[in-house]
Amino acid sequence: MFFHFEATLRATPANATGIDSTPLAQVITKCTIPNTAALTFDDGPYQRDISKALTDVGGKGTFFWNGDNYGCIYEDEDVERVKFAYGQGHMVASHTWAHKDLTTLSAEDINSEMSRVEDALDRIIGVRPAFTRPPYGNYNDLVRKIAHSRGQKLVTWDFDSGDSTGSTPAQSKKAYDKLVKKHPSTVLALNHETYETTAHDVLPYAIKLLVGKGYKLVTLAECLDMDPYQSVSNPQNRDGSWTC
Ligand SMILES: [Zn+2]
């Protein structure tokens, strides 16, 4: 679902926020390095299988994390999944804390939705992300200003596998077929790993197709030639702040 126009029209008056002179964050809608495909995954628990499917062909992917959506990012199992994805060389980025539509929130709440995931990734793996995918792809000028003030670029996509909007695995695969037939210079694909079929059926198919067409499967940052993180340091040890 993509409500870009509605979202823009509903922008909160900037002078009400005290950040009216803040520049707007860049919005990334496609890759720029020719012959790259960035497969991106939002929301879900199947990183291990997706990671294996990608690394088996020498590829990398990008995982956008929520803090508290299906589960809490600070639970042991979730911490391990974040560490695993990062450790395998995939890119980690923010999908905001609780998967709220940011265009409905106050400046304070947008800041909180963004900062809590950035802090969590910093604690768990020691990196401060530089990219945020706003839930539902929704943003307005206020969201862009706050994102900019936090060092974030916003990321949408130029291809939607449709798995979160009711497509069957067969339909998602057909969508990848059509995409590859058109053979665009680059691909920035949205997938939802909340669906078991995405991880185990659609994705292996898509990977084979894209690799067969000669695309390099790279992270989002690589397909843009940008830095994935604002800072990289050592992970922290669990303490009382690790709560949802
Ligand atoms: Zn999402």
Side-chain angles (χ1 to χ4, degrees), residues 127-206:
V127 306
R128 207 151 266 279
F131 293 86
T132 296
R133 174 167 281 151
Y136 316 104
N138 286 0
Y139 57 86
N140 56 21
D141 281 359
L142 179 60
V143 172
R144 289 180 68 184
K145 285 179 182 193
I146 292 167
H148 185 275
S149 74
R150 307 198 58 79
Q152 299 295 313
K153 294 175 182 67
L154 298 178
V155 188
T156 58
W157 54 86
D158 62 11
F159 170 80
D160 183 351
S161 67
D163 56 359
S164 74
T165 48
S167 295
T168 63
Q171 287 168 330
S172 286
K173 288 197 237 178
K174 229 181 218 147
Y176 271 107
D177 280 336
K178 259 173 102 177
L179 171 76
V180 161
K181 231 175 235 154
K182 277 195 266 171
H183 204 204
S185 169
T186 61
V187 176
L188 173 46
L190 170 71
N191 302 274
H192 289 80
E193 38 156 330
T194 43
Y195 298 92
E196 189 269 336
T197 48
T198 294
H200 298 139
D201 186 359
V202 177
L203 188 74
Y205 182 84

Side-chain angles (χ1 to χ4, degrees), residues 50-244:
I50 292 170
S51 171
K52 183 171 186 320
L54 286 166
T55 51
D56 278 354
V57 297
K60 301 275 184 257
T62 302
F63 295 95
F64 288 90
W65 300 85
N66 287 130
D68 193 7
N69 184 14
Y70 290 92
C72 169
I73 195 167
Y74 290 120
E75 279 163 20
D76 286 340
E77 195 190 315
D78 290 68
V79 164
E80 287 313 309
R81 287 197 284 115
V82 175
K83 285 183 174 170
F84 176 81
Y86 182 65
Q88 294 292 306
H90 304 298
M91 175 174 158
V92 301
S94 171
H95 195 35
T96 76
W97 188 252
H99 211 273
K100 294 176 182 165
D101 180 346
L102 299 180
T103 65
T104 66
L105 302 182
S106 67
E108 194 185 335
D109 288 345
I110 296 167
N111 243 312
S112 164
E113 287 296 300
M114 296 184 80
S115 69
R116 292 182 78 184
V117 173
E118 293 159 24
D119 290 345
L121 295 176
D122 200 18
R123 287 171 178 144
I124 295 168
I125 49 176
V127 306
R128 207 151 266 279
F131 293 86
T132 296
R133 174 167 281 151
Y136 316 104
N138 286 0
Y139 57 86
N140 56 21
D141 281 359
L142 179 60
V143 172
R144 289 180 68 184
K145 285 179 182 193
I146 292 167
H148 185 275
S149 74
R150 307 198 58 79
Q152 299 295 313
K153 294 175 182 67
L154 298 178
V155 188
T156 58
W157 54 86
D158 62 11
F159 170 80
D160 183 351
S161 67
D163 56 359
S164 74
T165 48
S167 295
T168 63
Q171 287 168 330
S172 286
K173 288 197 237 178
K174 229 181 218 147
Y176 271 107
D177 280 336
K178 259 173 102 177
L179 171 76
V180 161
K181 231 175 235 154
K182 277 195 266 171
H183 204 204
S185 169
T186 61
V187 176
L188 173 46
L190 170 71
N191 302 274
H192 289 80
E193 38 156 330
T194 43
Y195 298 92
E196 189 269 336
T197 48
T198 294
H200 298 139
D201 186 359
V202 177
L203 188 74
Y205 182 84
I207 287 175
K208 214 170 145 193
L209 268 184
L210 291 165
V211 168
K213 271 281 184 179
Y215 287 100
K216 266 187 84 178
L217 302 184
V218 299
T219 67
L220 173 71
E222 286 169 334
C223 90
L224 298 164
D225 196 20
M226 290 179 175
D227 288 330
Y229 309 118
Q230 300 186 62
S231 63
V232 178
S233 58
N234 291 323
Q236 297 165 27
N237 291 320
R238 180 184 284 282
D239 66 19
S241 69
W242 292 37
T243 55
C244 283

